[in-house]
Amino acid sequence: MNKTLKIADLGNVKVFSRNSLKTHAAVTKAMLKSYASVDTIISFGGGNDITYATVLALRVSKKQVVGGINIDAHFDARPVIGGKREGSRRTAVGR
């Protein structure tokens, strides 16, 4: 097997402040456009919630069940106070 690895910056996706659904739709659309010309994409940036939009694009483009991995660069261990974890987890990934 003699494959050539090509790396490219596919640019930025517009973020819609205070409108995560619109942002997710923009990310999914951009990823779908990219999957039309490549097999594999490694996406950097965004919050944990962006994982859903990127994996959705992969599932739609491949027309099959897929999985995604989110690598979080932050140490999110929060203390337990009164039986609940302190801080908020607003994303579906965090629930």
Side-chain angles (χ1 to χ4, degrees), residues 6-28:
K6 296 179 183 178
I7 299 175
D9 182 345
L10 300 175
N12 299 323
V13 176
K14 180 172 175 50
V15 173
F16 297 90
S17 181
R18 301 189 184 271
N19 192 333
S20 60
L21 294 178
K22 201 169 180 180
T23 297
H24 292 171
V27 169
T28 300

